[in-house]
Structures are given as C-alpha cells and as structure tokens.
Amino acid sequence: MKKFDKERLLLGVAGPVIALVVAVALTSVVLLASGKNPFEPYTLMFQQATYSDIQVLIINQASLYYIAALAVAIGFRMNLFNIGVDGQYQLAAMMAAIVGAHVALPAALQVPLLILTAVCTGAFWAGIAGFLKVTRGVSEVVATIMLNAIATSVIAYLWLPDVFGVKLGNNNTTGEMNKSGWVPGFGMGDAGEIYGLVILAAVLGIGYWIVLNRTRFGFDLRASGASESAASASGVDPKRMVLTAMLVSGGIAGLAGLPILLGDTHTYSLNFPTGIGFLGIGIALLGRNSPVGIAFAALLWAWLDKASPELDFHGYDKEIAVIMQGLIVIAVVVSYEAVREWGLRRQQRRVGAELAAGHALGANNTQKEVAGR
C-alpha cells in the first residue's frame, strides 16, 4: 500500500475512533458525577449483545438506520443537508401502507409496487426542497425542516376515518395491508425473525458505492460537492445536480421504513418508529459517508438502542445510551475537524520538505556545473 493511501486510511479511521473514545470518557464522567459505577453499564450492554434475540433486534433496527443514513450521505456528498429524511420516510411509509391496504396484486407485483410507491413519495417530498433551492435559492435546511412539519400534518389528515384512517381503539392506523405485500423474513428460531428487506439495505449500500465511485453521475456528484465552479467549468450543471441529488436522497429515504412496515407491522400507525431520519444524520457523520463505515455506525446505534433497556433493571437510567449517542455526534464533528487540520499540516510539511529537497538538489547541481567549468 502506498504511503498516501496509508495516510488516507489513518485519517479515515482516526476520526471515528477519537469520537467513540471521547464519548465513552464523557459518559463515564456523567455516571461518576451522578454517583454511579462508570463501567458497569457498558458491561451490561455488551452482555446483552451476546444474546441471539437481542442480535436479531439490533440487525433489524440497523437496517432502518442504514437506509436513512445512506439518504443523508447522498446529500452530504453534494454538500446538501437533507434534514427532511424523517418526514420523507414517514410519509413514504404511510403512502405504501395505504396502497398496500387498498390494492391486492400477486406478491411478485405487489411488493415492487409498494417499493416504487415509497421511492416516488420520498423523492417527490425531497424534490420540493431541491426545486426551491435551484429556482429560488431557498436553503435546503430551512425547506426540509418546514416540509417535515407539513408531512406531519398530511399524515394526520390521511389518518382521518373518512379519508384512509382506520381506528383501532385509541390507535390511528391505515388498516392492515394485503398479505401479498408482506415480505417474509429469515427465521432464527426462538431468537425471532430478521426482516426480509435487510437484503434491500445491503443492496442499497452496494449500489451507493458503485454509483459514487464507478459512474459518471457519481463523479459529477462528488465534483459538484467539492467545487460547483470547477464542476461547472467541466460541463456539469450544478443546479441539475442539486435537484438530482435531492431526488435520489429522498427516494432512498422513502425506503427507510419499509423493512419494518412490510416485515412486521403491516400497517402505519401511531406506534410506527419516528426520529429515524434525524438519527441517520449522526450515523452518516460517524460513518464518514462510507457504506461500510455507515454499516458499523448503524449497528452501533442499534446496539445502544436495544441493549440499553436492560440498564433499568440494574439501577441505571437507559437514557445513558441517548447521552452517549449525542456525545458521539458532538465528538465526531470536533474530531473530524481536528483530524482534517492535522492532515493538512502533515501535507503542508511534506510539500515543504519536498520543495526544500528540490531546491537543495538544484543548488548542488549548479555548484557541480560551476566546478566543471
């Protein structure tokens, strides 16, 4: 491996490692300040990860986080902050649930229809922010935040009994989907069942890497994110790339709720998980927008979620895991900036040393020429 590649690998690993170490250290300080054992909670959560039923829960939850984080990462690669993933995936999941409850096709057609419905809904909702940005210069952050609020209102409207809502006790639902739209999982015996659409998350990760690193679109996306003026000079339309990136990001976001919708709940209700889009931001940051890094970050987040309830039975607040997640996000931003500055200084020193060596060699050759005369 070349020296440059080794340095890039070191810089890529250093940020997440520093962030995790800092987060654990600060969480331990919080535990000490509250008079609790700073080590036992980690031991308890690691023990939980050894149980097969918890492992199944972690994998299932990580699949949702992974897809949401990929949607965020697409925007990040374009220097876009798609903070609207949460609204996009919730609205997409509801539309898929409505279609699944009112359309009955053979499974070979029903499942693709539901996936297409989710993709189109998410892309449309994100495309509104993209359109506003390229035509009116509206910040995608402001637009997507407002669209999250609007999505909540749209969902509340669609839940009305005289629209698509089905009331079950105190719970608002869209009614049970037709079984042809259910995606069977992978049975793990007494441990439970892994969602069948975990495979979809893996396929999206592979596709994300191929598109970004092996296609012209991926090159244009990365080039536009690095420098719009340079990309424009090379023939790339920055506005078109902004709109396309938002559409792709929203389309992927629309898929984030499908593993649990098609594999478990089979309806969209008040119990459907929320906040996944916001967690995807921290996961994408920790994973450095890399499909492999995001996978590890998603598993870490899912482990903290699913192992932390055990803390309640041992006198610890399960919110310790939430504190750690928040500290990881803060630490990862700070550590990446520190690592970036360190890398720039190393590069400057290396360039300076090479220039000095070149000047010294040139001076030596000049002296030899003078002596030869």
Side-chain angles (χ1 to χ4, degrees):
M1 185 181 291
K2 297 179 181 179
K3 182 178 179 181
F4 178 69
D5 292 334
K6 288 182 178 179
E7 289 187 358
R8 287 182 60 187
L9 178 62
L10 177 63
L11 292 175
V13 173
V17 171
I18 293 173
L20 290 174
V21 171
V22 170
V24 170
L26 292 177
T27 305
S28 299
V29 171
V30 172
L31 289 168
L32 280 172
S34 60
K36 301 292 181 66
N37 187 319
F39 304 110
E40 187 179 16
Y42 306 119
T43 303
L44 293 172
M45 288 194 291
F46 276 118
Q47 287 176 349
Q48 288 296 298
T50 63
Y51 301 138
S52 57
D53 57 335
I54 299 297
Q55 291 169 359
V56 169
L57 293 175
I58 289 172
I59 293 173
N60 286 340
Q61 191 71 14
S63 66
L64 278 66
Y65 290 163
Y66 186 70
I67 297 174
L70 285 180
V72 175
I74 286 286
F76 280 162
R77 298 306 290 264
M78 185 64 197
N79 273 341
L80 295 172
F81 197 1
N82 182 10
I83 205 171
V85 168
D86 207 64
Q88 291 153 22
Y89 96 83
Q90 289 189 58
L91 190 59
M94 184 173 213
M95 293 305 298
I98 291 172
V99 172
H102 292 82
V103 176
L105 297 174
L109 297 175
Q110 183 84 342
V111 174
L113 173 64
L114 299 180
I115 292 175
L116 183 62
T117 299
V119 170
C120 291
T121 303
F124 170 75
W125 210 245
I128 297 173
F131 177 78
L132 291 174
K133 184 175 181 65
V134 300
T135 58
R136 292 292 182 266
V138 178
S139 168
E140 76 279 2
V141 175
V142 175
T144 51
I145 288 175
M146 299 308 296
L147 284 167
N148 280 342
I150 296 172
T152 301
S153 300
V154 171
I155 289 171
Y157 170 75
L158 294 175
W159 259 333
L160 293 175
D162 55 347
V163 185
F164 293 109
V166 176
K167 201 78 171 177
L168 291 178
N170 293 324
N171 197 359
N172 294 328
T173 78
T174 54
E176 187 174 75
M177 300 166 58
N178 289 294
K179 290 189 176 181
S180 59
W182 297 14
V183 176
F186 305 100
M188 305 301 290
D190 294 337
E193 189 175 82
I194 295 176
Y195 297 150
L197 287 186
V198 165
I199 294 178
L200 175 63
V203 170
L204 287 173
I206 296 170
Y208 170 84
W209 184 87
I210 292 174
V211 169
L212 253 66
N213 297 282
R214 293 291 185 269
T215 67
R216 174 61 187 269
F217 170 76
F219 173 79
D220 291 345
L221 185 71
R222 289 181 286 113
S224 300
S227 173
E228 284 193 10
S229 58
S232 180
S234 63
V236 178
D237 184 352
K239 290 187 175 181
R240 179 177 61 84
M241 291 307 302
V242 167
L243 182 57
T244 303
M246 286 300 294
L247 289 171
V248 173
S249 178
I252 294 176
L255 296 171
L258 291 195
I260 188 171
L261 177 67
L262 304 188
D264 184 15
T265 64
H266 310 304
T267 186
Y268 186 89
S269 69
L270 290 172
N271 299 326
F272 202 80
T274 60
I276 292 175
F278 296 113
L279 293 176
I281 297 171
I283 293 169
L285 285 171
L286 183 60
R288 298 209 64 170
N289 302 324
S290 160
V292 176
I294 291 174
F296 283 112
L299 288 169
L300 171 65
W301 238 255
W303 167 65
L304 290 172
D305 280 347
K306 299 304 179 183
S308 60
E310 180 67 17
L311 299 178
D312 276 340
F313 300 103
H314 298 270
Y316 295 95
D317 297 323
K318 65 180 181 180
E319 284 72 22
I320 290 171
V322 180
I323 293 173
M324 184 178 291
Q325 289 173 342
L327 289 173
I328 288 174
V329 174
I330 296 173
V332 77
V333 174
V334 175
S335 64
Y336 282 170
E337 183 62 23
V339 169
R340 187 184 70 84
E341 291 292 333
W342 177 71
L344 286 175
R345 287 197 297 270
R346 278 181 58 87
Q347 186 177 14
Q348 290 169 353
R349 285 196 297 268
R350 184 170 62 249
V351 172
E354 291 174 354
L355 289 173
H359 286 310
L361 180 61
N364 187 38
N365 290 336
T366 301
Q367 290 177 354
K368 288 181 179 180
E369 291 178 1
V370 171
R373 292 174 185 172

